Amino acid sequence: MKRNTFLPTLFLLLLIPTIAFAQKKNKKTKEETFKVLQFNVWQEGTMVPEGYDAIVDQIIESGANFVTLSEVRNYKNTRFCDRIVQSLKEKGQTFYSFYSYDTGLLSRYPIIDSTTVFPCVNDQGSIYRALIDMKGQEVALYTAHLDYRNCTYYDVKGYSGYTWEKRPPMTDIDSIMMDNVKSKRDNGTMAFLKYAKEDKAKNRIVIIGGDFNEPSFLDWTEESKNMFDRNGLVIPWTVSTMIIADGFIDTYRKLYPNPVTHPGITYPSDNSLMPTNKLSWTPLADERERIDMIYYAPFKGLELKSAVIWGPDGSICRNQRVKDNAQDPFRIGKGIWPTDHKALLVTFSLRK
């Protein structure tokens, strides 16, 4: 009797896709969520009563996995990052760090190596890099605090960006750009981009957070040119131009592309514990700008989930406390706010 082999063969062909799907389903995609906090701590929290302890508390409440710190001074021959790691440990929080000056860096994941990318010389800014093992994925995390001098956006607003004395507003674009590049901000940025190129080639996630002491060209647009005493100018600020031209993404502007509805102001922040003349450099002008930022390089499986201004929803304008009447999202930890900047908290997910 001849056997009919058609039906078993057909059954097997129908079963193969089901087996393949089951195998694919069993190989579950792993997702790691992590947060990055850019935090200018205003001279290590020494300017505000109980400011140091407040820095510790705000870091814990933010839930950040990585923290990029600005204004690390190592006062009284102390190592600020070591000290804050110990303070966090006493509250049950494990972080790793290394010695640095001017900028600092904290990581919940082990640090494999650290590098001085742009050393602080004559207080003209600095950049450091940590190579971090995030559960098998290498992350190159950079922390920046760029040169605060020749801060030419102040000249536009009627104050010297070098001495902070009152002066007629500078409105000639060529003069503005020539004065702006006298700072060391561009030098630091170029040093960062050189290192970052190597990191990207080695399949590392690359993120930089910092107080860049310069606005973004994404904020000084045709639509926003008459806001914040910008005197009708659209300016291609060089630091942001270089970083974005190299392929990096501005986290805040990625999620909130409209600088009119979401200006994202980070400085000068209101601080109820301090008089306004200690918080602002320009008593007769509106110096509000977004200068604290986090950028990242596109990476397979890396997704930007959220970004919030971590800090008070108030700023200083013409020596007055004002509410930030915008659509920006704000969050803040309980207790004292320790600084004259707002921080930026960004959440990412990584699918493996």
Side-chain angles (χ1 to χ4, degrees), residues 152-164:
T152 315
Y153 74 87
Y154 278 98
D155 295 87
V156 174
K157 297 170 187 257
Y159 281 80
S160 167
Y162 195 87
T163 66
W164 283 269

Side-chain angles (χ1 to χ4, degrees), residues 47 74 79 114 140 153 187 204 263 270 285 349-350:
M47 304 298 290
N74 301 321
R79 296 165 63 108
S114 60
Y153 74 87
N187 304 68
R204 294 166 178 159
D270 191 11
S349 67
L350 176 64

Side-chain angles (χ1 to χ4, degrees), residues 8 45 62 75 93 117 144 154-155 167 171 199 244 301 306 323 344:
S62 74
Y75 289 128
Q93 307 291 316
V117 174
Y154 278 98
D155 295 87
R167 56 150 296 163
T171 57
D199 288 322
I244 290 174
S306 68
K323 283 293 181 183
L344 175 64

